[in-house]
Amino acid sequence: LIVKTDVKPEFILGDCNGDYNVDTTDLAVLKLNLAGIGELSDTGKLGADLNGDGKVDTTDLATLKLKLAGIE
């Protein structure tokens, strides 16, 4: 028996805007948030904390840049 569901995960690491994709839009959203322009949703905060230290900061921004470049 195979059961398919459309249940999405609570968040995806790197997904800062909650669209279940990790792309340059997330990078822009994170940059704006760190500049004090715009707020991350609760789900966005979870996705933006790429290093898992409980904070969203420039280290997470650098990690996201590397992830998008395919380096990490």
Side-chain angles (χ1 to χ4, degrees):
L1 175 68
I2 297 174
V3 178
K4 279 185 101 176
T5 63
D6 291 332
V7 176
K8 292 188 177 182
E10 183 179 349
F11 71 97
I12 295 174
L13 203 56
D15 179 18
C16 302
N17 65 351
D19 67 354
Y20 295 98
N21 294 302
V22 179
D23 54 26
T24 55
T25 302
D26 298 297
L27 187 63
V29 167
L30 183 52
K31 282 182 182 179
L32 290 171
N33 175 261
L34 292 173
I37 305 167
E39 279 289 314
L40 294 173
S41 67
D42 290 341
T43 303
K45 289 175 187 172
L46 291 171
D49 183 17
L50 280 98
N51 65 354
D53 67 355
K55 302 179 291 189
V56 176
D57 56 23
T58 55
T59 302
D60 300 301
L61 180 66
T63 303
L64 182 55
K65 284 181 182 180
L66 293 173
K67 182 176 181 141
L68 289 171
I71 297 170
E72 186 170 291

